[in-house]
Short mmCIF file of all heavy atoms in Angstrom, two decimals:
data_model
loop_
_atom_site.label_atom_id
_atom_site.label_comp_id
_atom_site.label_asym_id
_atom_site.label_seq_id
_atom_site.Cartn_x
_atom_site.Cartn_y
_atom_site.Cartn_z
N GLU W 1 1.66 -12.26 6.20
CA GLU W 1 1.73 -12.78 4.86
C GLU W 1 1.36 -11.67 3.88
O GLU W 1 2.00 -11.50 2.86
CB GLU W 1 0.91 -13.97 4.75
CG GLU W 1 1.09 -14.70 3.34
CD GLU W 1 0.23 -15.97 3.29
OE1 GLU W 1 0.74 -17.06 3.66
OE2 GLU W 1 -0.87 -15.93 2.64
N LYS W 2 0.17 -10.98 4.20
CA LYS W 2 -0.26 -9.96 3.25
C LYS W 2 0.76 -8.71 3.17
O LYS W 2 1.03 -8.23 2.10
CB LYS W 2 -1.58 -9.38 3.81
CG LYS W 2 -2.24 -8.33 2.93
CD LYS W 2 -2.52 -8.85 1.55
CE LYS W 2 -3.27 -7.89 0.74
NZ LYS W 2 -3.56 -8.38 -0.68
N GLU W 3 1.42 -8.44 4.33
CA GLU W 3 2.40 -7.33 4.38
C GLU W 3 3.54 -7.73 3.48
O GLU W 3 4.00 -6.90 2.72
CB GLU W 3 2.82 -7.08 5.86
CG GLU W 3 3.84 -5.95 5.91
CD GLU W 3 4.39 -5.81 7.31
OE1 GLU W 3 4.29 -6.72 8.14
OE2 GLU W 3 5.04 -4.78 7.53
N ARG W 4 4.03 -8.91 3.50
CA ARG W 4 5.03 -9.46 2.74
C ARG W 4 4.81 -9.28 1.28
O ARG W 4 5.57 -8.88 0.40
CB ARG W 4 5.57 -10.90 3.18
CG ARG W 4 6.74 -11.38 2.37
CD ARG W 4 7.09 -12.73 2.91
NE ARG W 4 6.10 -13.75 2.74
CZ ARG W 4 6.01 -14.95 3.13
NH1 ARG W 4 7.06 -15.37 3.94
NH2 ARG W 4 5.02 -15.77 2.93
N SER W 5 3.49 -9.70 0.91
CA SER W 5 3.03 -9.68 -0.45
C SER W 5 3.07 -8.26 -0.99
O SER W 5 3.52 -7.94 -2.12
CB SER W 5 1.67 -10.30 -0.59
OG SER W 5 1.25 -10.21 -1.91
N LEU W 6 2.62 -7.38 -0.18
CA LEU W 6 2.46 -5.93 -0.57
C LEU W 6 3.86 -5.37 -0.80
O LEU W 6 4.14 -4.57 -1.75
CB LEU W 6 1.73 -5.12 0.46
CG LEU W 6 0.25 -5.43 0.63
CD1 LEU W 6 -0.43 -4.68 1.71
CD2 LEU W 6 -0.53 -5.03 -0.76
N ILE W 7 4.75 -5.63 0.03
CA ILE W 7 6.22 -5.20 -0.08
C ILE W 7 6.74 -5.65 -1.34
O ILE W 7 7.45 -4.83 -2.12
CB ILE W 7 7.05 -5.52 1.17
CG1 ILE W 7 6.55 -4.75 2.40
CG2 ILE W 7 8.52 -5.19 0.91
CD1 ILE W 7 7.25 -5.33 3.65
N SER W 8 6.56 -6.89 -1.68
CA SER W 8 7.13 -7.38 -2.94
C SER W 8 6.50 -6.85 -4.12
O SER W 8 7.19 -6.47 -5.14
CB SER W 8 6.84 -8.97 -2.97
OG SER W 8 7.29 -9.55 -4.18
N ALA W 9 5.14 -6.62 -4.08
CA ALA W 9 4.54 -5.95 -5.24
C ALA W 9 4.95 -4.49 -5.43
O ALA W 9 5.07 -4.05 -6.58
CB ALA W 9 2.91 -5.93 -4.94
N ARG W 10 5.09 -3.76 -4.35
CA ARG W 10 5.53 -2.39 -4.41
C ARG W 10 6.94 -2.32 -5.03
O ARG W 10 7.27 -1.38 -5.87
CB ARG W 10 5.51 -1.67 -3.16
CG ARG W 10 4.13 -1.37 -2.62
CD ARG W 10 4.14 -0.35 -1.49
NE ARG W 10 4.82 -0.90 -0.26
CZ ARG W 10 4.13 -1.44 0.71
NH1 ARG W 10 2.81 -1.59 0.65
NH2 ARG W 10 4.86 -1.88 1.73
N THR W 11 7.81 -3.21 -4.58
CA THR W 11 9.22 -3.25 -5.24
C THR W 11 9.17 -3.52 -6.72
O THR W 11 9.90 -2.84 -7.47
CB THR W 11 9.99 -4.37 -4.42
OG1 THR W 11 10.05 -4.01 -3.04
CG2 THR W 11 11.49 -4.39 -4.95
N ARG W 12 8.38 -4.47 -7.14
CA ARG W 12 8.28 -4.73 -8.52
C ARG W 12 7.79 -3.66 -9.33
O ARG W 12 8.23 -3.34 -10.36
CB ARG W 12 7.50 -6.08 -8.72
CG ARG W 12 8.06 -7.36 -8.28
CD ARG W 12 7.40 -8.56 -8.86
NE ARG W 12 6.01 -8.56 -8.53
CZ ARG W 12 5.44 -9.14 -7.47
NH1 ARG W 12 6.44 -9.81 -6.59
NH2 ARG W 12 4.28 -9.18 -7.25
N ALA W 13 6.74 -2.98 -8.77
CA ALA W 13 6.11 -1.83 -9.53
C ALA W 13 7.06 -0.68 -9.63
O ALA W 13 7.12 0.00 -10.65
CB ALA W 13 4.82 -1.36 -8.76
N ALA W 14 7.81 -0.42 -8.54
CA ALA W 14 8.90 0.71 -8.65
C ALA W 14 10.01 0.34 -9.65
O ALA W 14 10.30 1.25 -10.34
CB ALA W 14 9.43 0.90 -7.22
N LEU W 15 10.45 -0.85 -9.70
CA LEU W 15 11.41 -1.23 -10.71
C LEU W 15 10.84 -1.12 -12.11
O LEU W 15 11.58 -0.65 -13.03
CB LEU W 15 11.94 -2.64 -10.44
CG LEU W 15 12.80 -2.77 -9.18
CD1 LEU W 15 13.09 -4.25 -8.95
CD2 LEU W 15 14.09 -1.89 -9.24
N ALA W 16 9.61 -1.49 -12.31
CA ALA W 16 8.97 -1.48 -13.61
C ALA W 16 8.84 -0.11 -14.07
O ALA W 16 9.01 0.28 -15.25
CB ALA W 16 7.65 -2.23 -13.60
N ALA W 17 8.44 0.79 -13.17
CA ALA W 17 8.25 2.25 -13.48
C ALA W 17 9.60 2.94 -13.87
O ALA W 17 9.66 3.72 -14.78
CB ALA W 17 7.67 3.02 -12.22
N LYS W 18 10.66 2.59 -13.20
CA LYS W 18 12.02 3.09 -13.56
C LYS W 18 12.52 2.68 -14.93
O LYS W 18 12.96 3.43 -15.68
CB LYS W 18 13.03 2.67 -12.42
CG LYS W 18 12.93 3.37 -11.14
CD LYS W 18 14.08 3.01 -10.23
CE LYS W 18 14.00 3.85 -8.97
NZ LYS W 18 15.19 3.50 -8.04
N LYS W 19 12.14 1.33 -15.14
CA LYS W 19 12.55 0.82 -16.50
C LYS W 19 11.76 1.42 -17.66
O LYS W 19 12.26 1.74 -18.71
CB LYS W 19 12.36 -0.71 -16.45
CG LYS W 19 12.91 -1.41 -17.66
CD LYS W 19 12.83 -2.92 -17.53
CE LYS W 19 13.46 -3.62 -18.83
NZ LYS W 19 13.33 -5.15 -18.59
N ALA W 20 10.48 1.67 -17.32
CA ALA W 20 9.61 2.30 -18.32
C ALA W 20 10.01 3.67 -18.62
O ALA W 20 9.85 4.25 -19.71
CB ALA W 20 8.19 2.26 -17.89
N GLY W 21 10.55 4.34 -17.60
CA GLY W 21 11.09 5.77 -17.73
C GLY W 21 12.44 5.90 -18.35
O GLY W 21 12.94 6.95 -18.45
N GLY W 22 13.00 4.74 -18.85
CA GLY W 22 14.24 4.84 -19.49
C GLY W 22 15.52 4.57 -18.71
O GLY W 22 16.63 4.60 -19.07
N ALA W 23 15.27 4.39 -17.31
CA ALA W 23 16.32 4.20 -16.46
C ALA W 23 16.99 2.75 -16.66
O ALA W 23 16.30 1.75 -16.92
CB ALA W 23 15.88 4.19 -14.94
N LYS W 24 18.28 2.69 -16.59
CA LYS W 24 18.97 1.39 -16.77
C LYS W 24 19.15 0.79 -15.37
O LYS W 24 19.84 1.44 -14.48
CB LYS W 24 20.33 1.69 -17.46
CG LYS W 24 20.26 1.96 -18.98
CD LYS W 24 21.47 2.14 -19.61
CE LYS W 24 21.38 2.50 -21.13
NZ LYS W 24 22.74 2.59 -21.78
N LEU W 25 18.63 -0.41 -15.11
CA LEU W 25 18.74 -0.99 -13.86
C LEU W 25 20.08 -1.70 -13.82
O LEU W 25 20.36 -2.58 -14.72
CB LEU W 25 17.60 -1.90 -13.64
CG LEU W 25 16.21 -1.31 -13.70
CD1 LEU W 25 15.17 -2.40 -13.46
CD2 LEU W 25 16.06 -0.16 -12.74
#
C-alpha cells in the first residue's frame, strides 16, 4: 500500500514540476 502511495505521489509531483516549468501537458 505504501509503495502504491509513493508511486502516485511521485507521478503527481513530476507533472506539477513540468507544469510549473511552462510545459503544456
